[in-house]
Amino acid sequence: MQVVVVGSGYSGTLVANRVARKVKDAEVTVINPRPDFVQRVRLHQQIAGTYSAATPLAEVLREGITARVGTVDKIGDGTVALADGERIDFDYAFLAVGSTVSPIPGTVPVGTWEGAQQARAALAALTSGDHVTVIGGGPTGIETAAEIAEARPDLRVRLIGSSVGGGLSGGAYRRVRAGLERLTVEIIDDEVAEVGSGAEDVVRLRSGWDMVSDLTLWAIVSDVPDLAARSGLEVDARGRAVVDEFLRSVSDQRIFAVGDCAAVPGARFACYTALPQAIHAADNFARLLAGRKPKPHSFPYFSRGLSLGRKDAVAQFTHTDDTVRRAYFAGRTAVALKEMATHSAFSSARAGVSSF
């Protein structure tokens, strides 16, 4: 039984380890564009130099799993075609390529490993008083701006978004902004029109305000790789592979899709949702091989977490459909819970089990 997993982020690593553990005759091959597992939820720490977010695949994949470093060109008809011309046949495959970013010219993306490494090197080269501009008022932008501001208090950090923290409840929204202000992050509720590159970036806002920036970071994660579309699988308007209730591609039932690249109704980009999908897909695969019926996927939301440096955080409670409740908490308790969730995500992927 040949099983290929495309992508070794949180969902891909977990599904590979779980399949290898549950299906004894499965020969599992993981294809990943780099030799490391990257904790994407720690990329803001990688940028700021407060954590190393990469771990060699050999340390996170179970013994017996084959790791192949390469770029997949197409998947379908029982074959994975790599960019270098190699072809790998499969009986079943799991598409787990995650999400990506499409930065505007003049900015460095912070939602990818390569972008984070570039941002880390550029940040280290800045001197006291230089300006760092983070574009994106969602979780990625907030955590990136806060981490940099705490790690490098000698820099001037600004955060630009149409509504910084706008997806939170009123109390959590005010608490996040207060936490950013305590770190001396300048908050600008506006949209960026363009960034001009030169010795210094010039960031131009929709309102017409121009500002100088020594390093401009793009912190909006909103896209997915085009592998599913390029392979002829049915995708939604965002390019995510359309799946049935069992997390199988509606175009090819030999292919499961999990994580950010899967069009699971109601799911948002997060390892918080990707890991349960990976568990469910692996278990459905095992059920099918055992001659049992697969089970529909469902997942209730509970909360969202945001770190504000290493000493502060906000945890926002949600309804099961991910709409926010009024309740939230912050401070050291939220820090501990956020760190526990982040560590559990890594442990779950490596062990192939649920830690939630």
Side-chain angles (χ1 to χ4, degrees):
M1 175 65 62
Q2 302 295 323
V3 178
V4 173
V5 180
V6 182
S8 193
Y10 288 101
S11 58
T13 299
L14 190 152
V15 82
N17 285 329
R18 194 169 182 86
V19 166
R21 184 170 65 86
K22 293 178 73 75
V23 182
K24 300 306 180 185
D25 64 341
E27 296 183 17
V28 181
T29 299
V30 172
I31 306 171
N32 199 55
R34 61 191 63 86
D36 298 310
F37 169 83
V38 174
Q39 297 188 61
R40 287 189 64 184
V41 296
R42 291 195 187 273
L43 284 181
H44 57 290
Q45 294 177 259
Q46 178 72 28
I47 291 166
T50 57
Y51 194 89
S52 178
T55 304
L57 287 177
E59 296 181 17
V60 298
L61 294 176
R62 290 175 66 92
E63 185 177 353
I65 295 176
T66 299
R68 170 71 163 83
V69 177
T71 301
V72 175
D73 184 47
K74 287 186 179 180
I75 179 173
D77 297 325
T79 300
V80 172
L82 275 64
D84 63 4
E86 183 180 353
R87 301 176 70 86
I88 300 176
D89 295 332
F90 64 81
D91 297 296
Y92 285 89
F94 292 83
L95 185 62
V97 293
S99 52
T100 188
V101 297
S102 297
I104 64 174
T107 65
V108 178
V110 301
T112 66
W113 171 251
E114 292 76 16
Q117 286 293 79
Q118 183 182 350
R120 179 174 177 143
L123 185 69
L126 297 182
T127 58
S128 181
D130 283 348
H131 290 86
V132 177
T133 302
V134 180
I135 302 172
T140 303
I142 291 169
E143 293 192 329
T144 300
E147 197 76 25
I148 292 172
E150 185 178 80
R152 290 289 306 272
D154 59 314
L155 300 176
R156 300 178 182 180
V157 181
R158 64 171 70 99
L159 176 59
I160 303 174
S162 57
S163 178
V164 175
L168 303 171
S169 66
Y173 166 82
R174 292 187 291 272
R175 180 60 177 78
V176 164
R177 291 170 74 98
L180 290 168
E181 289 168 359
R182 277 195 295 273
L183 292 169
T184 69
V185 175
E186 180 186 4
I187 300 172
I188 301 174
D189 291 306
D190 204 335
E191 295 183 359
V192 174
E194 62 179 343
V195 177
S197 298
E200 294 175 320
D201 293 337
V202 176
V203 178
R204 176 160 296 154
L205 303 181
R206 297 284 183 193
S207 60
W209 184 18
D210 290 355
M211 60 189 68
V212 171
S213 178
D214 298 284
L215 174 61
T216 307
L217 305 177
W218 184 263
I220 301 173
V221 180
S222 59
D223 302 302
V224 298
D226 66 351
L227 176 59
R230 196 169 66 241
S231 300
L233 302 179
E234 184 177 341
V235 298
D236 68 1
R238 301 179 69 179
R240 301 178 301 173
V242 177
V243 295
D244 62 17
E245 66 270 34
F246 309 118
L247 302 180
R248 300 175 301 190
S249 166
V250 297
S251 303
D252 187 339
Q253 294 198 341
R254 293 170 296 178
I255 301 174
F256 289 83
V258 293
D260 292 350
C261 70
V264 178
R268 58 177 160 88
F269 288 174
C271 66
Y272 182 68
T273 53
L275 290 170
Q277 289 175 21
I279 291 170
H280 196 84
D283 289 353
N284 269 345
F285 169 64
R287 291 185 185 104
L288 288 169
L289 293 187
R292 297 158 53 201
K293 291 183 178 180
K295 294 182 179 181
H297 171 74
S298 64
F299 175 72
Y301 285 95
F302 176 73
S303 65
R304 305 177 190 176
L306 281 171
S307 65
L308 298 167
R310 297 299 86 211
K311 301 175 184 177
D312 195 11
V314 170
Q316 167 77 71
F317 289 105
T318 70
H319 297 282
T320 55
D321 65 356
D322 203 33
T323 56
V324 297
R325 298 178 180 269
R326 292 179 60 187
Y328 75 95
F329 56 93
R332 294 196 177 276
T333 300
V335 170
L337 289 175
K338 179 68 162 59
E339 182 59 30
M340 181 177 68
T342 301
H343 178 74
S344 293
F346 177 65
S347 298
S348 291
R350 184 165 55 182
V353 299
S354 174
S355 296
F356 294 94

